[in-house]
Amino acid sequence: MTPTTPPDGALPVWVPSERQRGRDAYRRTQARRSTLVALVSTVVVAGLAVLGLVSSPGWPRVRQSFLDPDVAWASLPKIAEGLWLNVRVMAVCAVLIVVVAMLLALARTLRGPAFFPLRALATGYVDVFRGLPLILVLLLVGFGLPGLRLQGIPTSAVVLGGLALVLTYSAYVAEVFRAGIESVHPSQIASARSLGLTRGQTLRHVVLPQAWRRVVPPLLNDLVALSKDSGLISILGAVDAVRAAQIQTATYANFTPYVVAGVLFVLLTIPLTRFTDALARRSGWLGSQAGLAGAGAMR
């Protein structure tokens, strides 16, 4: 960059040097070349894949059984109605999971012998529900709890399925929160305490804001996984997108409704995935993960 001074005494204006302009032009040329190569290679690979698929001997039967446009159009309203149930379950469960997971993470980071029972309970909860398969928790909660016939136990398949999702996912998300809390360097906590902040004020004003920023990308990844696993509530009898696709498959004797449900789930998760990627790039996700490696225990 070369500074130039205007003749009227205004602030100097920085203009790129000849060498810098050459570098910028070279980068733009390389970027255009990379884009063109990627586009051509993608078109070639996609064309070869489609050609190989449609020329295979079993393609007509595959198209008739899985890609029937008439069946897809006829089953779409019912499946979309079921997907709306999945979206509502995901939204409610996501809020409850964040609350429960944060409480578990805070319990696991407590220090002092007086808090040992809380730490032990939180650790046991995380160990148990991270070790159990989600489908087993769904079966235990969905069929086991109503079987007890106790007063106050919900019988709705949607509520019981959501409860199983909260129990399982809160164990995973609690570890994400704990990693974020533990990643805050002890020197910052010591500095806050030296300024006169209590432990609670240090946690609220120093630790949690940094921890939250660092765990947002992994949390969004868990939200994407939750959006797919919300379809498992269909095994309890809830008519969500998966169950609606199963009914439509039996009605038309065709597997196209399953494909329609899969496409809708992919369309639901792609915006969340792209938002996660954009947020990771903007917030420097890689730098946050590097910080986790050298993090110490919270005091």
Side-chain angles (χ1 to χ4, degrees):
M1 303 289 283
T2 303
T4 58
T5 304
D8 54 355
L11 294 176
V13 179
W14 290 87
V15 296
S17 64
E18 185 65 28
R19 178 172 296 180
Q20 182 62 39
R21 288 197 292 270
R23 291 196 189 101
D24 294 340
Y26 176 76
R27 293 191 184 105
R28 287 193 294 270
T29 302
Q30 290 299 105
R32 286 195 295 268
R33 180 182 177 185
S34 299
T35 304
L36 181 61
V37 170
L39 180 62
V40 172
S41 63
T42 302
V43 170
V44 170
V45 171
L48 291 176
V50 172
L51 182 62
L53 182 64
V54 298
S55 61
S56 59
W59 168 246
R61 294 190 63 183
V62 171
R63 185 177 57 185
Q64 181 182 3
S65 299
F66 292 92
L67 301 173
D68 190 326
D70 295 332
V71 175
W73 183 252
S75 60
L76 181 60
K78 294 293 184 182
I79 299 175
E81 184 179 350
L83 186 69
W84 173 236
L85 175 62
N86 290 104
V87 172
R88 286 180 290 168
V89 169
M90 182 186 68
V92 174
C93 289
V95 175
L96 295 176
I97 288 169
V98 168
V99 173
V100 175
M102 178 60 78
L103 294 177
L104 288 171
L106 292 177
R108 293 201 67 184
T109 55
L110 291 174
R111 294 292 181 263
F115 297 110
F116 175 76
L118 286 178
R119 290 199 302 271
L121 286 174
T123 303
Y125 178 94
V126 171
D127 290 344
V128 169
F129 284 102
R130 280 204 311 172
L132 288 174
L134 174 57
I135 192 169
L136 184 58
V137 178
L138 277 165
L139 294 174
L140 287 172
V141 174
F143 297 122
L145 288 184
L148 297 176
R149 297 182 181 180
L150 298 177
Q151 188 174 7
I153 298 294
T155 57
S156 169
V158 176
V159 175
L160 293 172
L163 176 60
L165 291 174
V166 172
L167 289 174
T168 301
Y169 268 86
S170 59
Y172 288 100
V173 177
E175 288 302 278
V176 174
F177 277 131
R178 189 169 72 94
I181 292 173
E182 299 283 359
S183 69
V184 178
H185 200 274
S187 63
Q188 298 193 30
I189 300 173
S191 300
R193 298 299 299 271
S194 67
L195 292 175
L197 273 66
T198 64
R199 176 178 173 79
Q201 291 172 332
T202 301
L203 184 66
R204 187 167 63 253
H205 298 295
V206 177
V207 177
L208 289 184
Q210 298 183 65
W212 179 261
R213 177 181 175 275
R214 293 177 179 178
V215 303
V216 165
L219 284 180
L220 291 176
N221 275 335
D222 287 334
L223 181 62
V224 172
L226 176 65
S227 67
K228 295 180 298 182
D229 286 342
S230 64
L232 292 175
I233 64 174
S234 61
I235 67 174
L236 303 181
V239 186
D240 69 334
V242 177
R243 179 62 176 162
Q246 187 180 14
I247 295 173
Q248 296 300 311
T249 297
T251 302
Y252 294 102
N254 192 287
F255 294 107
T256 302
Y258 284 137
V259 178
V260 173
V263 170
L264 291 180
F265 272 108
V266 170
L267 293 178
L268 178 65
T269 57
I270 282 180
L272 293 174
T273 306
R274 296 287 79 81
F275 178 70
T276 302
D277 294 341
L279 187 62
R281 287 193 297 270
R282 181 178 179 183
S283 60
W285 189 358
L286 293 178
S288 298
Q289 297 304 305
L292 291 176
M298 178 184 173
R299 297 181 177 85

